[in-house]
Amino acid sequence: MASKAIEYYEAQGLLNPTRDASGHRDYNEQEVLLLTRILSTILFLLGFSGISVS
């Protein structure tokens, strides 16, 4: 998934990652699961129903 897409979901309030000392985002398990579900849904809507992202 593109970093700009992830930043968009963060700006929309869907993600709230913590940041480490150098400013890198640290996503918890729930946020990773949410991103996986979003990507799966996008792939399904585009017709890639046979692809697994887990």
Side-chain angles (χ1 to χ4, degrees):
M1 183 174 285
S3 61
K4 291 292 183 188
I6 295 172
E7 291 171 7
Y8 172 80
Y9 299 132
E10 187 177 340
Q12 297 303 308
L14 295 172
L15 304 170
N16 189 23
T18 57
R19 296 196 181 244
D20 63 16
S22 60
H24 294 98
R25 292 172 179 86
D26 185 24
Y27 297 98
N28 64 35
E29 188 174 335
Q30 285 183 316
E31 291 167 326
V32 172
L33 181 59
L34 176 61
L35 287 171
T36 302
R37 287 181 177 167
I38 290 170
L39 183 56
S40 294
T41 302
I42 291 169
L43 290 173
F44 176 77
L45 292 173
L46 292 174
F48 296 99
S49 60
I51 298 175
S52 174
V53 293
S54 54

